[in-house]
Amino acid sequence: MRDFYGTTLKNGLMLGTAQYPSPAIMVEAFKRSAACVATVSLRRESGNDRAGQDFWAIIRDLGVHVLPNTAGCHSVKEAVTTAHMAREVFGTKWIKLEVIGEEDTLQPDVFGLVEAARILTDDGFQVFPYTTEDLVVAGKLLDAGCEVLMPWGAPIGSGLGLNNPYGLKSMRAHFPDVPLVIDAGLGLPSQAAQAMEMGFDAVLLNTAVAKAGDPAAMAEAFAGAVHAGHLAAAADPMEPRDMAAPSTPVLGKAFLL
């Protein structure tokens, strides 16, 4: 696996911690999937009265890397403030940076995202930016100090999968040495496998697992898909071709005269 700010993850599955029917089901999902990163959102009140400490204790007991996020932030100031609170509460330099610019699709405000990424990087954060597959924006995020990019597959919570395979493949080809994570929009394990087959380093998802009829079983299914996709990419898969090619050689075949 590729390093994320100097940390080598044991697999490419990152799971969110919201929307599960119960904390016990969330814990079981992490156990069965062996996901190595948990994303955790922070609300403003947590920074003042330490609300949610029981939940934080559950997250610590998972024994995974914690990636706080700035979910729900719509401005640079709000995202930067939330990131500083998260560093205080969770004790990590990692931050999943979200600056939302459009309500219906929850598409990132890429202008604010770049600005916030530069501010946080200068403040010592290790930023995981939730972005689009736009190559120009990606380059500006890297120039701002980001060492990881997290393009969306589809709108958050939609389950639509990879809406723009061409754009995502282009990003992978354009930035071969940058850790890339598909963040948001995955609904099925097959979509996660597709992302890994493209050469992405990890996938991050929440709703597809938390809202499944059996979240723990779905989490395990995603883990298997991520592993299969990673193995397939490493195995150097065949190129697609327009014409058929026999799998059994014709050499030595009997011909009737």
Side-chain angles (χ1 to χ4, degrees), residues 154-163 184-188 191 207-208:
I156 295 171
S158 67
L160 292 172
L162 306 181
N163 273 358
L186 298 182
L188 293 170
Q191 297 161 355
T207 308

Side-chain angles (χ1 to χ4, degrees), residues 148-232:
V148 177
L149 297 173
M150 304 182 75
W152 64 347
I156 295 171
S158 67
L160 292 172
L162 306 181
N163 273 358
N164 185 4
Y166 170 79
L168 294 171
K169 288 179 180 178
S170 296
M171 177 176 275
R172 178 70 284 174
H174 201 77
F175 303 106
D177 299 322
V178 177
L180 299 180
V181 181
I182 292 293
D183 177 15
L186 298 182
L188 293 170
S190 57
Q191 297 161 355
Q194 182 185 5
M196 299 301 288
E197 288 167 2
M198 288 181 180
F200 280 79
D201 300 289
V203 299
L204 192 160
L205 56 129
N206 189 169
T207 308
V209 168
K211 291 299 186 180
D214 186 339
M218 185 61 77
E220 185 176 356
F222 267 99
V226 167
H227 180 62
H230 175 70
L231 288 179

